[in-house]
Every structure is written in structure tokens, then in C-alpha cells.
Amino acid sequence: MPPNQQQRQKCWDSRDRFFACLEQNDENAAKCQNLRQEFEGCCSNTWVKYFIRKREYDKYKAKLETEGFKPYEGKKT
């Protein structure tokens, strides 16, 4: 059964608190462990995976927009 409106809102609020904690603590997940547990408890596993992947993608996209693409400069043979 899909989550109702209150359950979805609780999930989104816990997600926002967890992500805000990560930003305030320079991505130190150890300082936000209790908020991560709340986030995982309020949201389905698939939603947790989706939100985390989307956040990582958005951070990567923002980095590309500010720093530009930097090709790998490994060993040249």
C-alpha cells in the first residue's frame, strides 16, 4: 500500500533534516547518524536510495557547472 500524504510529508521532512545536517557538518555522516536513522525509518528503502542518489547527482552536476569538466589525466602510453 502506498504511503498517504502524512507519511510522505514525514519522509520528506526527515530527508530534509538529514541532508541539512550533512551540509552543516561538511558531509560528516557520523554527526548525523540519528537523523539518518529517522530518515530511513520514515521512508521506504527505494525512496531512501532514490533521494541519496539524486542528491549525489545534483552535487556532481553543480560541481560540473562551477568547475567545468576535467578529463582524466592518467598515464599516457
Side-chain angles (χ1 to χ4, degrees):
M1 186 159 123
N4 64 33
Q5 183 178 4
Q6 286 179 319
Q7 292 167 323
R8 289 191 307 269
Q9 190 63 52
K10 188 174 179 182
C11 171
W12 297 332
D13 290 344
S14 65
R15 172 203 60 191
D16 295 344
R17 284 192 299 274
F18 173 57
F19 289 168
C21 179
L22 289 175
E23 289 176 19
Q24 293 168 357
N25 290 289
D26 296 322
E27 303 300 315
N28 184 346
K31 292 184 177 182
C32 304
Q33 190 61 35
N34 60 333
L35 291 173
R36 169 131 192 173
Q37 289 173 346
E38 178 187 338
F39 170 48
E40 290 175 346
C42 293
C43 303
S44 70
N45 289 339
T46 54
W47 284 26
V48 170
K49 288 178 188 177
Y50 170 79
F51 289 140
I52 290 174
R53 289 180 73 192
K54 178 155 180 14
R55 182 174 183 268
E56 292 301 317
Y57 172 76
D58 289 345
K59 286 173 33 182
Y60 173 74
K61 185 177 169 184
K63 183 177 178 181
L64 279 180
E65 290 173 354
T66 57
E67 297 177 15
F69 176 72
K70 296 179 182 175
Y72 176 69
E73 302 205 13
K75 276 188 171 181
K76 294 182 180 180
T77 55

